[in-house]
Amino acid sequence: MSTGHILLGLLTERPKHGYELKREHDDRLPGVKPIAYGQVYATLQRLERDGKVAVSGTAKEGGPERTVYEITGDGADEVHRWLAEIEPPAPYVSSALFVRVVLALIAEGTADGYLLRQRAAHLERMRELTARKNTAGISAGELLATDYALYHLDADLRWLETARQRIDELTQEIRT
């Protein structure tokens, strides 16, 4: 996922300035790593250079004058092309969780302690997210992001339990 595609997607609604794009990114995509202002403006400059956005004017909303950008036809084509692509399932196990379990076995001779500590951390995070779901006034976007995080944590917990069940076999493989 690229910042450029996100900004183009947000601009399909109407022209916006960089500050507004940053705010909408953070508000509409709760749970996603917040974007830095510098990244927004650098990306807008690149998109303008590539003909995906154009300056449509300026706006002054109680502060400094801000440059307003609008999506171009090429930009709209790009965002719709990107949205039509599927997100491919990860071809490799790239989880730090998996790597730490194997390396704990190699370096420390056991992964039991790590697995139990990780399980406790996952359960704590699930409690936090579940409490957040029950907060009055939570937006639909925040609820969707929270559900996404909870389902991923649940999958990790199931994997951690499987790893604990297979730890003896893995230990033997590593030691031979």
Side-chain angles (χ1 to χ4, degrees), residues 95 97-98 101 111-112 114-123 153-167:
S95 169
L97 193 56
F98 169 74
V101 168
D112 286 332
Y114 174 76
L115 288 166
L116 291 173
R117 289 189 310 275
Q118 191 63 55
R119 181 180 186 278
H122 271 55
L123 289 171
L153 288 166
D154 182 61
D156 281 352
L157 281 173
R158 286 183 277 137
W159 181 85
L160 287 167
E161 186 57 35
T162 299
R164 287 188 68 215
Q165 293 170 4
R166 293 188 178 157
I167 205 78

PDB file of all heavy atoms in Angstrom, residues 95 97-98 101 111-112 114-123 153-167:
ATOM      1  N   SER A  95       6.656 -13.049   9.663  1.00  0.00           N
ATOM      2  CA  SER A  95       6.290 -12.611  11.004  1.00  0.00           C
ATOM      3  C   SER A  95       7.487 -12.666  11.946  1.00  0.00           C
ATOM      4  O   SER A  95       8.179 -13.683  12.046  1.00  0.00           O
ATOM      5  CB  SER A  95       5.176 -13.501  11.548  1.00  0.00           C
ATOM      6  OG  SER A  95       4.983 -13.263  12.916  1.00  0.00           O
ATOM      7  N   LEU A  97       7.166 -12.826  14.979  1.00  0.00           N
ATOM      8  CA  LEU A  97       6.740 -13.796  15.984  1.00  0.00           C
ATOM      9  C   LEU A  97       7.318 -15.172  15.677  1.00  0.00           C
ATOM     10  O   LEU A  97       7.930 -15.818  16.533  1.00  0.00           O
ATOM     11  CB  LEU A  97       5.209 -13.832  15.987  1.00  0.00           C
ATOM     12  CG  LEU A  97       4.478 -14.522  17.101  1.00  0.00           C
ATOM     13  CD1 LEU A  97       4.875 -13.959  18.450  1.00  0.00           C
ATOM     14  CD2 LEU A  97       2.981 -14.364  16.885  1.00  0.00           C
ATOM     15  N   PHE A  98       7.160 -15.628  14.447  1.00  0.00           N
ATOM     16  CA  PHE A  98       7.689 -16.930  14.023  1.00  0.00           C
ATOM     17  C   PHE A  98       9.211 -16.965  14.167  1.00  0.00           C
ATOM     18  O   PHE A  98       9.781 -17.910  14.712  1.00  0.00           O
ATOM     19  CB  PHE A  98       7.280 -17.206  12.575  1.00  0.00           C
ATOM     20  CG  PHE A  98       7.988 -18.379  11.966  1.00  0.00           C
ATOM     21  CD1 PHE A  98       7.653 -19.676  12.329  1.00  0.00           C
ATOM     22  CD2 PHE A  98       8.998 -18.191  11.042  1.00  0.00           C
ATOM     23  CE1 PHE A  98       8.321 -20.768  11.777  1.00  0.00           C
ATOM     24  CE2 PHE A  98       9.664 -19.265  10.477  1.00  0.00           C
ATOM     25  CZ  PHE A  98       9.328 -20.559  10.847  1.00  0.00           C
ATOM     26  N   VAL A 101      10.397 -17.267  17.807  1.00  0.00           N
ATOM     27  CA  VAL A 101      10.212 -18.598  18.392  1.00  0.00           C
ATOM     28  C   VAL A 101      11.351 -19.518  17.969  1.00  0.00           C
ATOM     29  O   VAL A 101      11.969 -20.191  18.796  1.00  0.00           O
ATOM     30  CB  VAL A 101       8.841 -19.189  17.989  1.00  0.00           C
ATOM     31  CG1 VAL A 101       8.755 -20.672  18.350  1.00  0.00           C
ATOM     32  CG2 VAL A 101       7.715 -18.414  18.672  1.00  0.00           C
ATOM     33  N   ALA A 111      11.665 -22.113  23.921  1.00  0.00           N
ATOM     34  CA  ALA A 111      10.852 -20.969  23.518  1.00  0.00           C
ATOM     35  C   ALA A 111       9.623 -20.845  24.408  1.00  0.00           C
ATOM     36  O   ALA A 111       8.800 -19.966  24.205  1.00  0.00           O
ATOM     37  CB  ALA A 111      10.427 -21.102  22.055  1.00  0.00           C
ATOM     38  N   ASP A 112       9.520 -21.728  25.403  1.00  0.00           N
ATOM     39  CA  ASP A 112       8.338 -21.725  26.272  1.00  0.00           C
ATOM     40  C   ASP A 112       8.113 -20.377  26.946  1.00  0.00           C
ATOM     41  O   ASP A 112       7.006 -19.847  26.943  1.00  0.00           O
ATOM     42  CB  ASP A 112       8.440 -22.814  27.341  1.00  0.00           C
ATOM     43  CG  ASP A 112       8.202 -24.201  26.778  1.00  0.00           C
ATOM     44  OD1 ASP A 112       7.475 -24.317  25.773  1.00  0.00           O
ATOM     45  OD2 ASP A 112       8.757 -25.163  27.347  1.00  0.00           O
ATOM     46  N   TYR A 114       9.195 -17.428  26.081  1.00  0.00           N
ATOM     47  CA  TYR A 114       8.826 -16.419  25.082  1.00  0.00           C
ATOM     48  C   TYR A 114       7.370 -16.587  24.663  1.00  0.00           C
ATOM     49  O   TYR A 114       6.614 -15.609  24.599  1.00  0.00           O
ATOM     50  CB  TYR A 114       9.740 -16.497  23.853  1.00  0.00           C
ATOM     51  CG  TYR A 114       9.273 -15.558  22.771  1.00  0.00           C
ATOM     52  CD1 TYR A 114       9.498 -14.192  22.875  1.00  0.00           C
ATOM     53  CD2 TYR A 114       8.525 -16.017  21.680  1.00  0.00           C
ATOM     54  CE1 TYR A 114       9.029 -13.313  21.924  1.00  0.00           C
ATOM     55  CE2 TYR A 114       8.050 -15.140  20.725  1.00  0.00           C
ATOM     56  CZ  TYR A 114       8.306 -13.798  20.852  1.00  0.00           C
ATOM     57  OH  TYR A 114       7.808 -12.933  19.918  1.00  0.00           O
ATOM     58  N   LEU A 115       6.968 -17.823  24.398  1.00  0.00           N
ATOM     59  CA  LEU A 115       5.586 -18.078  23.958  1.00  0.00           C
ATOM     60  C   LEU A 115       4.583 -17.627  25.020  1.00  0.00           C
ATOM     61  O   LEU A 115       3.557 -17.022  24.687  1.00  0.00           O
ATOM     62  CB  LEU A 115       5.397 -19.553  23.619  1.00  0.00           C
ATOM     63  CG  LEU A 115       6.078 -20.026  22.341  1.00  0.00           C
ATOM     64  CD1 LEU A 115       6.109 -21.549  22.275  1.00  0.00           C
ATOM     65  CD2 LEU A 115       5.378 -19.453  21.117  1.00  0.00           C
ATOM     66  N   LEU A 116       4.871 -17.907  26.272  1.00  0.00           N
ATOM     67  CA  LEU A 116       3.951 -17.503  27.344  1.00  0.00           C
ATOM     68  C   LEU A 116       3.901 -15.984  27.505  1.00  0.00           C
ATOM     69  O   LEU A 116       2.832 -15.412  27.695  1.00  0.00           O
ATOM     70  CB  LEU A 116       4.344 -18.179  28.655  1.00  0.00           C
ATOM     71  CG  LEU A 116       4.123 -19.692  28.695  1.00  0.00           C
ATOM     72  CD1 LEU A 116       4.699 -20.282  29.985  1.00  0.00           C
ATOM     73  CD2 LEU A 116       2.643 -20.040  28.549  1.00  0.00           C
ATOM     74  N   ARG A 117       5.062 -15.324  27.416  1.00  0.00           N
ATOM     75  CA  ARG A 117       5.085 -13.853  27.520  1.00  0.00           C
ATOM     76  C   ARG A 117       4.346 -13.225  26.342  1.00  0.00           C
ATOM     77  O   ARG A 117       3.601 -12.255  26.508  1.00  0.00           O
ATOM     78  CB  ARG A 117       6.524 -13.345  27.586  1.00  0.00           C
ATOM     79  CG  ARG A 117       7.228 -13.643  28.885  1.00  0.00           C
ATOM     80  CD  ARG A 117       8.576 -12.948  29.009  1.00  0.00           C
ATOM     81  NE  ARG A 117       9.456 -13.126  27.876  1.00  0.00           N
ATOM     82  CZ  ARG A 117      10.277 -14.169  27.692  1.00  0.00           C
ATOM     83  NH1 ARG A 117      10.303 -15.143  28.584  1.00  0.00           N
ATOM     84  NH2 ARG A 117      11.068 -14.233  26.638  1.00  0.00           N
ATOM     85  N   GLN A 118       4.540 -13.776  25.164  1.00  0.00           N
ATOM     86  CA  GLN A 118       3.871 -13.234  23.981  1.00  0.00           C
ATOM     87  C   GLN A 118       2.364 -13.439  24.070  1.00  0.00           C
ATOM     88  O   GLN A 118       1.585 -12.561  23.718  1.00  0.00           O
ATOM     89  CB  GLN A 118       4.429 -13.892  22.709  1.00  0.00           C
ATOM     90  CG  GLN A 118       3.984 -13.197  21.446  1.00  0.00           C
ATOM     91  CD  GLN A 118       4.488 -11.775  21.363  1.00  0.00           C
ATOM     92  OE1 GLN A 118       5.679 -11.519  21.457  1.00  0.00           O
ATOM     93  NE2 GLN A 118       3.585 -10.832  21.193  1.00  0.00           N
ATOM     94  N   ARG A 119       1.965 -14.598  24.559  1.00  0.00           N
ATOM     95  CA  ARG A 119       0.534 -14.879  24.741  1.00  0.00           C
ATOM     96  C   ARG A 119      -0.080 -13.860  25.694  1.00  0.00           C
ATOM     97  O   ARG A 119      -1.146 -13.304  25.426  1.00  0.00           O
ATOM     98  CB  ARG A 119       0.344 -16.307  25.271  1.00  0.00           C
ATOM     99  CG  ARG A 119      -1.096 -16.698  25.467  1.00  0.00           C
ATOM    100  CD  ARG A 119      -1.189 -18.145  26.011  1.00  0.00           C
ATOM    101  NE  ARG A 119      -2.563 -18.565  26.075  1.00  0.00           N
ATOM    102  CZ  ARG A 119      -3.393 -18.264  27.081  1.00  0.00           C
ATOM    103  NH1 ARG A 119      -2.961 -17.524  28.092  1.00  0.00           N
ATOM    104  NH2 ARG A 119      -4.637 -18.684  27.066  1.00  0.00           N
ATOM    105  N   ALA A 120       0.611 -13.582  26.795  1.00  0.00           N
ATOM    106  CA  ALA A 120       0.105 -12.609  27.771  1.00  0.00           C
ATOM    107  C   ALA A 120      -0.007 -11.217  27.139  1.00  0.00           C
ATOM    108  O   ALA A 120      -0.998 -10.506  27.363  1.00  0.00           O
ATOM    109  CB  ALA A 120       1.017 -12.567  28.995  1.00  0.00           C
ATOM    110  N   ALA A 121       0.974 -10.839  26.335  1.00  0.00           N
ATOM    111  CA  ALA A 121       0.935  -9.527  25.670  1.00  0.00           C
ATOM    112  C   ALA A 121      -0.229  -9.455  24.681  1.00  0.00           C
ATOM    113  O   ALA A 121      -0.916  -8.432  24.596  1.00  0.00           O
ATOM    114  CB  ALA A 121       2.255  -9.267  24.952  1.00  0.00           C
ATOM    115  N   HIS A 122      -0.445 -10.531  23.942  1.00  0.00           N
ATOM    116  CA  HIS A 122      -1.565 -10.557  22.994  1.00  0.00           C
ATOM    117  C   HIS A 122      -2.906 -10.457  23.727  1.00  0.00           C
ATOM    118  O   HIS A 122      -3.803  -9.729  23.297  1.00  0.00           O
ATOM    119  CB  HIS A 122      -1.520 -11.832  22.150  1.00  0.00           C
ATOM    120  CG  HIS A 122      -0.726 -11.715  20.902  1.00  0.00           C
ATOM    121  ND1 HIS A 122       0.588 -11.319  20.870  1.00  0.00           N
ATOM    122  CD2 HIS A 122      -1.076 -11.946  19.613  1.00  0.00           C
ATOM    123  CE1 HIS A 122       1.022 -11.307  19.632  1.00  0.00           C
ATOM    124  NE2 HIS A 122       0.025 -11.684  18.832  1.00  0.00           N
ATOM    125  N   LEU A 123      -3.051 -11.205  24.821  1.00  0.00           N
ATOM    126  CA  LEU A 123      -4.307 -11.162  25.575  1.00  0.00           C
ATOM    127  C   LEU A 123      -4.558  -9.769  26.154  1.00  0.00           C
ATOM    128  O   LEU A 123      -5.698  -9.285  26.139  1.00  0.00           O
ATOM    129  CB  LEU A 123      -4.298 -12.221  26.677  1.00  0.00           C
ATOM    130  CG  LEU A 123      -4.414 -13.659  26.196  1.00  0.00           C
ATOM    131  CD1 LEU A 123      -4.182 -14.634  27.351  1.00  0.00           C
ATOM    132  CD2 LEU A 123      -5.765 -13.908  25.537  1.00  0.00           C
ATOM    133  N   LEU A 153      -4.972 -10.755  16.099  1.00  0.00           N
ATOM    134  CA  LEU A 153      -4.447 -11.204  17.384  1.00  0.00           C
ATOM    135  C   LEU A 153      -4.955 -12.602  17.721  1.00  0.00           C
ATOM    136  O   LEU A 153      -4.204 -13.439  18.236  1.00  0.00           O
ATOM    137  CB  LEU A 153      -4.825 -10.213  18.490  1.00  0.00           C
ATOM    138  CG  LEU A 153      -4.085  -8.881  18.463  1.00  0.00           C
ATOM    139  CD1 LEU A 153      -4.781  -7.870  19.370  1.00  0.00           C
ATOM    140  CD2 LEU A 153      -2.630  -9.062  18.862  1.00  0.00           C
ATOM    141  N   ASP A 154      -6.213 -12.863  17.420  1.00  0.00           N
ATOM    142  CA  ASP A 154      -6.777 -14.187  17.660  1.00  0.00           C
ATOM    143  C   ASP A 154      -6.055 -15.248  16.831  1.00  0.00           C
ATOM    144  O   ASP A 154      -5.736 -16.329  17.335  1.00  0.00           O
ATOM    145  CB  ASP A 154      -8.284 -14.187  17.344  1.00  0.00           C
ATOM    146  CG  ASP A 154      -8.919 -15.529  17.635  1.00  0.00           C
ATOM    147  OD1 ASP A 154      -8.888 -15.962  18.809  1.00  0.00           O
ATOM    148  OD2 ASP A 154      -9.425 -16.168  16.685  1.00  0.00           O
ATOM    149  N   ALA A 155      -5.771 -14.937  15.575  1.00  0.00           N
ATOM    150  CA  ALA A 155      -5.031 -15.886  14.734  1.00  0.00           C
ATOM    151  C   ALA A 155      -3.637 -16.127  15.308  1.00  0.00           C
ATOM    152  O   ALA A 155      -3.161 -17.272  15.343  1.00  0.00           O
ATOM    153  CB  ALA A 155      -4.941 -15.363  13.300  1.00  0.00           C
ATOM    154  N   ASP A 156      -2.983 -15.072  15.764  1.00  0.00           N
ATOM    155  CA  ASP A 156      -1.664 -15.230  16.385  1.00  0.00           C
ATOM    156  C   ASP A 156      -1.747 -16.105  17.631  1.00  0.00           C
ATOM    157  O   ASP A 156      -0.883 -16.955  17.865  1.00  0.00           O
ATOM    158  CB  ASP A 156      -1.077 -13.867  16.776  1.00  0.00           C
ATOM    159  CG  ASP A 156      -0.476 -13.109  15.612  1.00  0.00           C
ATOM    160  OD1 ASP A 156      -0.360 -13.680  14.502  1.00  0.00           O
ATOM    161  OD2 ASP A 156      -0.123 -11.929  15.818  1.00  0.00           O
ATOM    162  N   LEU A 157      -2.779 -15.904  18.450  1.00  0.00           N
ATOM    163  CA  LEU A 157      -2.931 -16.714  19.659  1.00  0.00           C
ATOM    164  C   LEU A 157      -3.109 -18.186  19.319  1.00  0.00           C
ATOM    165  O   LEU A 157      -2.542 -19.062  19.981  1.00  0.00           O
ATOM    166  CB  LEU A 157      -4.114 -16.228  20.496  1.00  0.00           C
ATOM    167  CG  LEU A 157      -3.864 -15.004  21.353  1.00  0.00           C
ATOM    168  CD1 LEU A 157      -5.162 -14.528  21.996  1.00  0.00           C
ATOM    169  CD2 LEU A 157      -2.825 -15.296  22.421  1.00  0.00           C
ATOM    170  N   ARG A 158      -3.897 -18.462  18.291  1.00  0.00           N
ATOM    171  CA  ARG A 158      -4.072 -19.856  17.861  1.00  0.00           C
ATOM    172  C   ARG A 158      -2.747 -20.435  17.390  1.00  0.00           C
ATOM    173  O   ARG A 158      -2.415 -21.578  17.692  1.00  0.00           O
ATOM    174  CB  ARG A 158      -5.151 -19.960  16.789  1.00  0.00           C
ATOM    175  CG  ARG A 158      -6.552 -19.798  17.401  1.00  0.00           C
ATOM    176  CD  ARG A 158      -7.663 -19.961  16.390  1.00  0.00           C
ATOM    177  NE  ARG A 158      -7.812 -18.672  15.716  1.00  0.00           N
ATOM    178  CZ  ARG A 158      -7.984 -18.522  14.419  1.00  0.00           C
ATOM    179  NH1 ARG A 158      -8.055 -19.559  13.629  1.00  0.00           N
ATOM    180  NH2 ARG A 158      -8.111 -17.324  13.896  1.00  0.00           N
ATOM    181  N   TRP A 159      -1.962 -19.627  16.675  1.00  0.00           N
ATOM    182  CA  TRP A 159      -0.657 -20.091  16.213  1.00  0.00           C
ATOM    183  C   TRP A 159       0.289 -20.310  17.400  1.00  0.00           C
ATOM    184  O   TRP A 159       1.043 -21.295  17.432  1.00  0.00           O
ATOM    185  CB  TRP A 159      -0.041 -19.100  15.222  1.00  0.00           C
ATOM    186  CG  TRP A 159       1.284 -19.594  14.739  1.00  0.00           C
ATOM    187  CD1 TRP A 159       1.514 -20.459  13.710  1.00  0.00           C
ATOM    188  CD2 TRP A 159       2.562 -19.285  15.299  1.00  0.00           C
ATOM    189  NE1 TRP A 159       2.858 -20.706  13.600  1.00  0.00           N
ATOM    190  CE2 TRP A 159       3.528 -19.997  14.567  1.00  0.00           C
ATOM    191  CE3 TRP A 159       2.986 -18.479  16.345  1.00  0.00           C
ATOM    192  CZ2 TRP A 159       4.887 -19.935  14.846  1.00  0.00           C
ATOM    193  CZ3 TRP A 159       4.338 -18.403  16.636  1.00  0.00           C
ATOM    194  CH2 TRP A 159       5.265 -19.129  15.884  1.00  0.00           C
ATOM    195  N   LEU A 160       0.265 -19.410  18.383  1.00  0.00           N
ATOM    196  CA  LEU A 160       1.113 -19.569  19.568  1.00  0.00           C
ATOM    197  C   LEU A 160       0.800 -20.885  20.284  1.00  0.00           C
ATOM    198  O   LEU A 160       1.711 -21.582  20.748  1.00  0.00           O
ATOM    199  CB  LEU A 160       0.928 -18.393  20.528  1.00  0.00           C
ATOM    200  CG  LEU A 160       1.531 -17.060  20.101  1.00  0.00           C
ATOM    201  CD1 LEU A 160       1.006 -15.934  20.987  1.00  0.00           C
ATOM    202  CD2 LEU A 160       3.045 -17.113  20.134  1.00  0.00           C
ATOM    203  N   GLU A 161      -0.470 -21.230  20.362  1.00  0.00           N
ATOM    204  CA  GLU A 161      -0.857 -22.491  21.002  1.00  0.00           C
ATOM    205  C   GLU A 161      -0.353 -23.686  20.185  1.00  0.00           C
ATOM    206  O   GLU A 161       0.160 -24.658  20.745  1.00  0.00           O
ATOM    207  CB  GLU A 161      -2.380 -22.557  21.180  1.00  0.00           C
ATOM    208  CG  GLU A 161      -2.843 -23.755  21.963  1.00  0.00           C
ATOM    209  CD  GLU A 161      -2.206 -23.848  23.355  1.00  0.00           C
ATOM    210  OE1 GLU A 161      -1.970 -22.815  23.995  1.00  0.00           O
ATOM    211  OE2 GLU A 161      -1.938 -24.984  23.791  1.00  0.00           O
ATOM    212  N   THR A 162      -0.468 -23.608  18.886  1.00  0.00           N
ATOM    213  CA  THR A 162       0.054 -24.670  18.024  1.00  0.00           C
ATOM    214  C   THR A 162       1.567 -24.787  18.196  1.00  0.00           C
ATOM    215  O   THR A 162       2.107 -25.901  18.278  1.00  0.00           O
ATOM    216  CB  THR A 162      -0.288 -24.386  16.543  1.00  0.00           C
ATOM    217  OG1 THR A 162      -1.712 -24.344  16.413  1.00  0.00           O
ATOM    218  CG2 THR A 162       0.275 -25.445  15.621  1.00  0.00           C
ATOM    219  N   ALA A 163       2.250 -23.667  18.269  1.00  0.00           N
ATOM    220  CA  ALA A 163       3.708 -23.680  18.452  1.00  0.00           C
ATOM    221  C   ALA A 163       4.067 -24.355  19.776  1.00  0.00           C
ATOM    222  O   ALA A 163       5.017 -25.144  19.832  1.00  0.00           O
ATOM    223  CB  ALA A 163       4.256 -22.257  18.404  1.00  0.00           C
ATOM    224  N   ARG A 164       3.332 -24.051  20.825  1.00  0.00           N
ATOM    225  CA  ARG A 164       3.598 -24.700  22.128  1.00  0.00           C
ATOM    226  C   ARG A 164       3.406 -26.199  22.036  1.00  0.00           C
ATOM    227  O   ARG A 164       4.150 -26.966  22.653  1.00  0.00           O
ATOM    228  CB  ARG A 164       2.685 -24.119  23.212  1.00  0.00           C
ATOM    229  CG  ARG A 164       3.102 -22.707  23.621  1.00  0.00           C
ATOM    230  CD  ARG A 164       2.339 -22.194  24.816  1.00  0.00           C
ATOM    231  NE  ARG A 164       2.733 -22.955  25.986  1.00  0.00           N
ATOM    232  CZ  ARG A 164       1.904 -23.269  26.975  1.00  0.00           C
ATOM    233  NH1 ARG A 164       0.643 -22.905  26.933  1.00  0.00           N
ATOM    234  NH2 ARG A 164       2.327 -23.948  28.012  1.00  0.00           N
ATOM    235  N   GLN A 165       2.429 -26.650  21.238  1.00  0.00           N
ATOM    236  CA  GLN A 165       2.182 -28.086  21.088  1.00  0.00           C
ATOM    237  C   GLN A 165       3.278 -28.764  20.263  1.00  0.00           C
ATOM    238  O   GLN A 165       3.552 -29.939  20.446  1.00  0.00           O
ATOM    239  CB  GLN A 165       0.820 -28.319  20.436  1.00  0.00           C
ATOM    240  CG  GLN A 165      -0.339 -27.902  21.314  1.00  0.00           C
ATOM    241  CD  GLN A 165      -1.661 -27.897  20.572  1.00  0.00           C
ATOM    242  OE1 GLN A 165      -1.739 -28.271  19.412  1.00  0.00           O
ATOM    243  NE2 GLN A 165      -2.707 -27.456  21.251  1.00  0.00           N
ATOM    244  N   ARG A 166       3.914 -28.011  19.380  1.00  0.00           N
ATOM    245  CA  ARG A 166       4.926 -28.596  18.488  1.00  0.00           C
ATOM    246  C   ARG A 166       6.353 -28.285  18.914  1.00  0.00           C
ATOM    247  O   ARG A 166       7.296 -28.627  18.214  1.00  0.00           O
ATOM    248  CB  ARG A 166       4.704 -28.082  17.072  1.00  0.00           C
ATOM    249  CG  ARG A 166       3.418 -28.594  16.491  1.00  0.00           C
ATOM    250  CD  ARG A 166       3.280 -28.256  15.058  1.00  0.00           C
ATOM    251  NE  ARG A 166       2.032 -28.828  14.562  1.00  0.00           N
ATOM    252  CZ  ARG A 166       1.390 -28.409  13.521  1.00  0.00           C
ATOM    253  NH1 ARG A 166       1.868 -27.411  12.809  1.00  0.00           N
ATOM    254  NH2 ARG A 166       0.269 -28.979  13.142  1.00  0.00           N
ATOM    255  N   ILE A 167       6.508 -27.655  20.044  1.00  0.00           N
ATOM    256  CA  ILE A 167       7.823 -27.175  20.451  1.00  0.00           C
ATOM    257  C   ILE A 167       8.829 -28.314  20.631  1.00  0.00           C
ATOM    258  O   ILE A 167      10.000 -28.161  20.283  1.00  0.00           O
ATOM    259  CB  ILE A 167       7.705 -26.289  21.721  1.00  0.00           C
ATOM    260  CG1 ILE A 167       8.885 -25.331  21.797  1.00  0.00           C
ATOM    261  CG2 ILE A 167       7.613 -27.094  22.979  1.00  0.00           C
ATOM    262  CD1 ILE A 167       8.747 -24.176  20.900  1.00  0.00           C
TER     263      ILE A 167
END
